[in-house]
Amino acid sequence: MQGSTLRIDAHVLLGDEPLNWRLAALADIEATAARVPMRLHQLAAQPGVFGGARKAGWSCADAPYITWFDPDDRYPAEPASAFLTQAIAALDDIPSLAVVFSAEQQITSTGRLLGAPSTAMPDMAAIRIRPSALHGLQLWRRSIVQSLAPGVLDTDPVAEWRLFLAALDAGHAHLRLHHIARLWRRHSGQHSSSVKIKNS
């Protein structure tokens, strides 16, 4: 975005996703970046050390807020940029807020809408056992991520969820907005769609 102070560092981990999915996601992200004060870092995914790759993305540069995109999903530029703009404002205004989540809509591997949009905040019991319970596009306060990221294992396949649980346990607030900023492509090989974990 021209003439704006940079507010967001975003990253995307590029792996073995189909090329057409990757190109579609990157086109969405570039269109979103043209509307909000954000820079994108493209990093290689690291099989077996997903947590480490995600932490590398979180540590890119020095903007006050952090987000990330997955190259197998879609991020329509208008709602994604509207979400990020409102999320920046919320984080600016509410010091206790660690993260803002968008709503999302599941799609099939071919891009067809799947079910109803997910807009309501799920209950905490669901969030604590299922990484996919609260998903969406996320905007985090960098200082919170920096303080909690060391507790995320490099080998963790659901690093974002571990980060959120750590934020909850530390007493940080979160917020969900109703912009459907992420179209979550459901397909085989996903981690957060199938993982269900009992807390010890």
Side-chain angles (χ1 to χ4, degrees):
M1 175 180 259
Q2 296 293 328
S4 295
T5 302
L6 185 71
R7 306 304 307 283
I8 303 171
D9 276 308
H11 71 270
V12 58
L13 300 179
L14 302 175
D16 60 358
E17 61 282 342
L19 181 59
N20 62 318
W21 293 2
R22 176 189 292 191
L23 293 176
L26 289 174
D28 289 344
I29 297 164
E30 289 169 5
T32 299
R35 298 169 181 229
V36 295
M38 178 181 89
R39 68 184 153 203
L40 178 66
H41 309 272
Q42 296 184 34
L43 306 175
Q46 301 175 38
V49 285
F50 177 80
R54 186 62 82 201
K55 287 193 288 185
W58 293 338
S59 68
C60 286
D62 58 2
Y65 303 128
I66 295 172
T67 191
W68 55 88
F69 298 88
D70 287 349
D72 55 350
D73 295 334
R74 299 297 309 271
Y75 302 89
E78 187 171 336
S81 60
F83 162 73
L84 290 170
T85 299
Q86 268 197 271
I88 288 170
L91 287 161
D92 282 349
D93 291 344
I94 308 171
S96 63
L97 199 57
V99 57
V100 183
F101 290 85
S102 77
E104 70 180 354
Q105 168 73 57
Q106 294 185 30
I107 59 175
T108 66
S109 61
T110 58
R112 183 174 51 83
L113 296 182
L114 184 62
S118 176
T119 57
M121 180 63 72
D123 63 65
M124 285 297 114
I127 288 172
R128 286 195 173 276
I129 65 170
R130 200 172 72 244
S132 62
L134 189 57
H135 200 236
L137 186 57
Q138 305 175 28
L139 189 67
W140 280 81
R141 193 180 301 278
R142 177 182 292 276
S143 60
I144 300 296
V145 175
Q146 288 176 329
S147 69
L148 299 176
V152 176
L153 297 177
D154 287 353
T155 55
D156 198 328
V158 285
E160 306 95 334
W161 180 60
R162 301 288 186 197
L163 179 71
F164 182 54
L165 292 185
L168 285 179
D169 291 341
H172 298 298
H174 60 280
L175 175 68
R176 190 172 204 181
L177 302 179
H178 291 286
H179 300 281
I180 301 174
R182 181 178 190 162
L183 302 180
W184 182 20
R185 196 188 304 269
R186 300 302 300 271
H187 60 90
S188 61
Q190 292 175 316
H191 294 297
S192 60
S193 62
S194 58
V195 174
K196 190 171 183 178
I197 299 173
K198 292 182 180 179
N199 290 326
S200 54

